């Protein structure tokens, strides 16, 4: 055995902080690495030492193997933990650590390589007798052969990046006419994310659940499973809510899936923590191998909470050469745990990533919060927009759901738009509470899940008016009487809903009208970002923070809301905004599909943009002719930057 004394965490954000906490509890010194964009990040502040490794782009920093190995050498680290994402599933990184004499806190490089190529992994699983989905995973990667294979399998099919995971490079194709474009798009995204544009094709299984098995193996060959997690609630093939155990897995099915996962791990000589993912048909109990993640998973806390094991601690033990001190019969599932990923994203606008500074971030007690940020930290356009994971445990599934929903309602994440209202709606939907939600649930119910997130409340308008008031300096409302009785028009947006309203100031009283509804509040006090007010005779309070043309509002028992683009301007009735395609988020232009002078149709794709691991098509708002193309492929653009200008046909 070789004890670890100092560990370098080759990652950032939430998982880097998570690994540091366990390392520090073990008495192990910690080293962080950081890009220029993360110089003041929480994981840097938490670490005992920190080393700059490059520029903001992952390719210039967190994916630079040589820079990370050199940082470990300079600081005297004797081990490296890769976290998840970035280099966590790169066999060449594990090999580089071994060559440098560093303990790699993860599986052998050979196991990573075997499972890192989806095509090769699927062939290996077929040989090992693990159930797999019908599909195509051969070497002929010509577009013609992929189109032919998809049609042979039968639509709908799933295109998947052979070299990666996490939803990147994945496309569901239901219409043969969409195959060619989907292949081009999936290849481009796969090449950008993994440096490899090879694809596999699998039959899309309708109504399936995403169920994964947590496995663990030590150096002696002992391989066990720690039960399942249900990760069926996904948007754009990215997990949103995860739970353990699964509401549709019976004890007998758990045994069968666990045995298959253990066989998958043994087939590659696995060691460390890992996850084998399956598609499950609840009606028949049939399950099919999807992939194996040769690393710690984002959703590992739900397994920790129902089993009582610290999975990162076990990773350290196994890396040091220790044997597992328990057997399969010792694994017990206690109660229920559910995790929600709180993202800086606008669910009402296609889950667009958001950037900005967290002017406030705190969560209530009673739940586990794994976060990579604190109040004052920035959500960067360069990385995943996850703010935190909130995990609730209870004796029953119903209790865990209730605790998690209450915790999300009580969390103040201000300064950026978050998916909190969407998460609460998903947790309270009957299909989820009754355990019926499958992997298509979010897409099928998206409008319903977002319905409550966009209604603009007149009380919020009145609160926003307080924050916007030029007389509200230092939290005092003196001077409002000079505007007494004057109605001020407002235009504001919450999500995609735009509303015109008005406010009237009368000393400490503010009346607001929007969408035919009115409310009046009387300000009692406003200091340190907290406003106390009377509404209809009831004393209430709210967190209230102005950030330029946006106002963040957090009322007790409700998710935080952001009213943005608040102006005093009259609407432009000429429709001139329809003459321009703007960037919906800050990011990189990945392709420009039209040229100046080209005729376009309403809804036609004119460009694509990528940010925070997402590629999105930009479409023409109407029929017209392209008059100006303001960008080129590879350009970095700010949110709302002009991309394409249109003029009317003829």
């Amino acid at each position: 055995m070789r004890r670890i004394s100092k560990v370098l965490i080759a990652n950032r954000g939430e998982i880097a902080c998570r690994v540091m906490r366990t390392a520090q509890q073990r008495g192990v010194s910690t080293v962080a690495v950081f890009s220029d964009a993360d110089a003041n990040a929480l994981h840097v502040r938490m670490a005992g030492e920190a080393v700059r490794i490059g520029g903001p782009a992952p390719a210039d920093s967190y994916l630079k193997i040589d820079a990370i190995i050199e940082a470990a050498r300079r600081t005297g680290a004797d081990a490296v933990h890769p976290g998840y994402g970035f280099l966590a599933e790169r066999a060449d990184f594990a090999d580089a650590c071994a060559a440098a004499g560093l303990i790699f806190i993860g599986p052998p490089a050979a196991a990573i390589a075997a499972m890192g190529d989806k095509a090769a992994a699927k062939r290996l699983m077929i040989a090992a007798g693990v159930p797999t989905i019908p599909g195509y995973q051969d070497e002929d990667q010509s577009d013609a052969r992929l189109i032919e294979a998809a049609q042979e399998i039968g639509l709908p099919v799933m295109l998947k990046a052979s070299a990666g995971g996490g939803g990147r490079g994945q496309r569901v194709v239901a219409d043969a006419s969409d195959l060619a474009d989907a292949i081009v798009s999936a290849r481009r995204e796969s090449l950008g994310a993994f440096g490899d544009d090879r694809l596999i094709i699998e039959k899309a299984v309708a109504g399936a659940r995403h169920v994964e098995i947590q496995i663990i193996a030590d150096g002696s060959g002992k391989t066990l499973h720690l039960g399942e997690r249900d990760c069926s609630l996904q948007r754009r093939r990215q997990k949103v809510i995860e739970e353990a155990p699964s509401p549709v897995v019976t004890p007998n099915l758990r045994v069968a899936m666990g045995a298959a996962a253990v066989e998958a791990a043994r087939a590659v000589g696995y060691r460390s923590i890992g996850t084998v993912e399956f598609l499950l048909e609840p009606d028949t109990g049939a399950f099919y191998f999807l992939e194996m993640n040769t690393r710690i998973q984002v959703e590992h806390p739900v397994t920790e909470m129902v089993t009582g094991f610290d999975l990162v601690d076990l990773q350290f033990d196994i890396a040091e050469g220790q044997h597992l001190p328990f057997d399969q019969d010792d694994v017990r599932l206690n109660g229920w745990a559910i995790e929600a990923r709180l993202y800086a994203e606008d669910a009402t606008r296609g889950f667009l990533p958001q950037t900005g500074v967290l002017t406030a971030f705190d969560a209530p007690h009673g739940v586990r919060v794994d976060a990579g940020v604190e109040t004052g930290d920035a959500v960067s356009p360069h990385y995943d927009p996850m703010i935190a994971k909130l995990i609730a445990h209870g004796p029953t599934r119903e209790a865990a759901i209730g605790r998690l929903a209450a915790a999300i309602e009580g969390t103040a994440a201000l300064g950026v738009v978050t998916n909190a209202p969407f998460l609460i709606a998903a947790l309270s939907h009957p299909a989820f509470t009754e355990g019926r939600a499958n992997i298509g649930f979010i897409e099928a119910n998206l409008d319903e899940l977002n319905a409550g997130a966009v209604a603009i409340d007149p009380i919020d308008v009145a609160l926003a008016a307080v924050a916007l008031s030029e007389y509200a300096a230092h939290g005092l409302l003196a001077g409002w009487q000079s505007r007494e009785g004057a109605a001020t028009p407002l235009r504001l947006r919450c999500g995609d809903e735009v509303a015109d309203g008005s406010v009237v100031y009368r000393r400490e009283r503010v009346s607001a009208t929007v969408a035919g509804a009115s409310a009046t509040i009387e300000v009692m006090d406003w200091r340190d970002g907290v406003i106390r007010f009377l509404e209809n005779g009831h004393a209430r309070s709210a967190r209230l923070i102005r950030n330029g043309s946006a106002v963040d509002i957090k009322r007790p028992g409700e998710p935080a809301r952001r009213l943005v683009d608040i102006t005093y301007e009259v609407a432009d009735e000429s429709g001139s905004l329809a003459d321009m395609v703007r960037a919906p988020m800050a990011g990189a232009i990945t392709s420009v599909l039209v040229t100046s002078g080209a005729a376009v149709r309403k809804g036609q794709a004119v460009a694509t943009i990528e940010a925070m691991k997402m590629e999105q098509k930009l479409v023409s708002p109407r029929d017209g002719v392209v008059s100006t193309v303001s960008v080129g492929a590879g350009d970095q653009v700010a949110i709302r930057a002009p991309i394409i200008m249109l003029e009317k046909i003829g």
Side-chain angles (χ1 to χ4, degrees):
M1 289 200 312
R2 180 181 168 192
R3 293 291 185 182
I4 296 170
S5 61
K6 180 182 285 191
V7 61
L8 181 146
I9 296 92
N11 218 294
R12 66 174 301 279
E14 174 270 325
I15 189 58
C17 297
R18 163 71 183 91
V19 173
M20 284 181 198
R21 284 191 292 270
T22 288
Q24 290 162 357
Q25 289 169 2
R26 293 173 68 96
V28 174
S29 300
T30 57
V31 179
V33 291
F34 64 92
S35 70
D36 291 340
D38 277 341
N40 297 311
L42 179 59
H43 75 280
V44 175
R45 303 196 299 269
M46 281 184 62
E49 301 174 66
V51 179
R52 177 191 177 274
I53 52 172
D60 297 331
S61 50
Y62 297 108
L63 293 176
K64 290 176 65 175
I65 293 176
D66 291 347
I68 291 173
I69 297 297
E70 175 60 17
R73 186 196 65 76
R74 286 171 52 194
T75 56
D78 54 3
V80 171
H81 194 297
Y84 54 69
F86 295 128
L87 296 171
E89 293 181 281
R90 288 270 298 271
D92 53 346
F93 182 51
D95 277 333
C97 289
L102 298 165
I103 298 172
F104 183 74
I105 305 178
I112 298 174
M115 286 301 190
D117 185 315
K118 283 186 170 59
K122 189 169 182 180
R123 292 191 289 266
L124 187 62
M125 292 301 98
I126 292 171
V130 177
T132 60
I133 305 171
Y136 177 83
Q137 53 277 336
D138 293 345
E139 295 298 326
D140 186 346
Q141 287 286 301
S142 67
D143 288 5
R145 180 63 188 113
L146 292 178
I147 291 172
E148 180 184 39
Q151 293 172 331
E152 290 172 352
I153 295 166
L155 300 173
V157 296
M158 174 80 80
L159 305 178
K160 302 174 75 172
S162 180
R168 304 216 65 185
Q170 290 189 19
R171 302 290 187 274
V172 176
V173 185
D175 192 313
S177 64
D178 296 329
L179 271 170
D181 286 346
I183 288 170
V184 170
S185 178
R187 282 194 196 281
R188 181 172 57 238
E189 190 172 27
S190 177
L191 184 64
F194 311 112
D196 187 332
D197 67 356
R198 291 175 302 137
L199 303 176
I200 67 171
I201 306 174
E202 292 181 338
K203 179 70 177 176
V205 181
R209 309 280 296 226
H210 184 124
V211 177
E212 58 191 32
I213 303 293
Q214 178 71 65
I215 60 98
I216 182 170
D218 64 19
S220 72
K222 179 188 283 189
T223 307
L224 312 174
H225 73 85
L226 305 181
E228 80 281 357
R229 296 185 289 261
D230 197 310
C231 308
S232 299
L233 264 67
Q234 304 176 9
R235 85 314 183 244
R236 294 182 173 175
R237 295 164 294 281
Q238 290 280 348
K239 300 166 187 173
V240 177
I241 294 175
E242 306 100 345
E243 59 183 310
S246 167
V248 297
V249 172
T250 64
N252 287 341
L253 184 55
R254 181 174 298 119
V255 170
M257 295 184 77
V262 166
E263 284 305 310
R266 286 175 175 160
V268 295
Y270 202 78
R271 184 181 71 245
S272 191
I273 291 287
T275 299
V276 182
E277 300 190 343
F278 296 98
L279 275 184
L280 169 67
E281 293 181 319
D283 294 340
T284 65
F287 58 92
Y288 308 97
F289 173 83
L290 274 177
E291 63 182 358
M292 183 175 184
N293 295 131
T294 53
R295 53 171 167 79
I296 195 78
Q297 288 277 87
V298 179
E299 57 273 18
H300 75 274
V302 294
T303 296
E304 293 184 324
M305 296 189 81
V306 296
T307 63
F309 296 123
D310 182 329
L311 299 188
V312 176
D313 196 45
L314 288 170
Q315 278 189 300
F316 274 83
D317 286 346
I318 294 168
E320 290 180 339
Q322 300 183 49
H323 293 170
L324 293 175
F326 56 89
D327 297 311
Q328 190 64 61
D329 290 342
D330 298 319
V331 178
R332 297 285 188 272
L333 304 184
N334 173 35
W336 221 282
I338 303 181
E339 171 183 293
R341 303 187 189 187
L342 183 67
Y343 281 98
E345 64 182 13
D346 191 340
T348 69
R349 305 176 67 204
F351 299 100
L352 280 179
Q354 305 292 300
T355 59
V357 174
L358 282 168
T359 51
F361 176 64
D362 54 69
H365 299 295
V367 296
R368 172 173 166 176
V369 180
D370 284 14
V373 293
E374 294 178 326
T375 296
D377 287 344
V379 179
S380 167
H382 302 288
Y383 312 113
D384 187 274
M386 187 170 68
I387 296 171
K389 303 179 307 194
L390 280 69
I391 311 100
H393 181 268
T396 64
R397 186 170 186 265
E398 181 181 17
I401 291 172
R403 289 176 183 175
L404 182 56
I408 297 171
E409 288 179 344
T411 297
L414 308 181
V416 293
V417 176
T418 77
N419 65 337
F422 170 82
L423 293 174
I424 294 169
L427 288 169
S428 60
H429 194 283
F432 180 76
T433 59
E434 296 167 11
R436 297 184 284 107
N438 57 38
I439 57 176
F441 165 74
I442 287 178
E443 289 185 1
N445 296 278
L446 187 57
D447 290 344
E448 181 181 356
L449 296 174
N450 279 328
V454 297
I456 298 179
D457 188 323
I459 294 179
D460 286 343
V461 177
L463 291 171
V466 173
L468 290 166
S469 171
E470 61 196 273
Y471 299 102
H474 310 299
L476 303 175
L477 304 179
W480 277 19
Q481 46 268 56
S482 64
R483 296 175 60 116
E484 184 171 350
T488 302
L490 282 177
R491 162 157 286 195
L492 63 164
R493 176 170 60 83
C494 183
D496 265 348
E497 181 182 352
V498 178
D500 291 315
S502 63
V503 294
V504 176
Y505 301 100
R506 292 185 178 88
R507 299 182 185 275
E508 285 77 24
R509 295 171 66 85
V510 183
S511 298
T513 300
V514 63
S518 299
T520 298
I521 66 172
E522 182 175 343
V523 180
M524 302 166 65
D525 185 47
W526 184 24
R527 65 183 71 186
D528 299 326
V530 177
I531 186 171
R532 295 176 58 245
F533 62 96
L534 288 174
E535 191 272 324
N536 228 9
H538 294 172
R540 299 187 177 183
S541 65
R543 297 279 289 277
L544 189 61
I545 298 176
R546 178 180 178 179
N547 189 355
S549 64
V551 176
D552 293 285
I553 301 167
K554 175 68 179 75
R555 291 196 267 165
E558 297 180 9
R561 299 167 66 80
R562 164 164 269 215
L563 303 184
V564 298
D565 294 343
I566 302 172
T567 68
Y568 297 97
E569 299 175 5
V570 178
D572 182 356
E573 297 178 358
S574 68
S576 61
L577 290 180
D579 294 336
M580 185 179 297
V581 177
R582 292 182 179 272
M585 57 187 174
I589 298 297
T590 52
S591 67
V592 178
L593 307 176
V594 295
T595 58
S596 181
V600 295
R601 304 180 311 277
K602 180 179 180 180
Q604 177 182 337
V606 295
T608 57
I609 185 173
E610 181 179 10
M612 296 182 179
K613 305 203 305 181
M614 293 172 56
E615 182 178 87
Q616 176 158 323
K617 290 182 180 179
L618 306 182
V619 302
S620 175
R622 61 171 176 81
D623 294 347
V625 175
V626 176
S627 62
T628 305
V629 178
S630 303
V631 298
D635 287 354
Q636 292 285 335
V637 296
I639 187 170
R640 296 181 61 78
I643 305 298
I644 304 289
M645 289 291 294
L646 301 174
E647 58 186 25
K648 294 180 180 179
I649 297 176

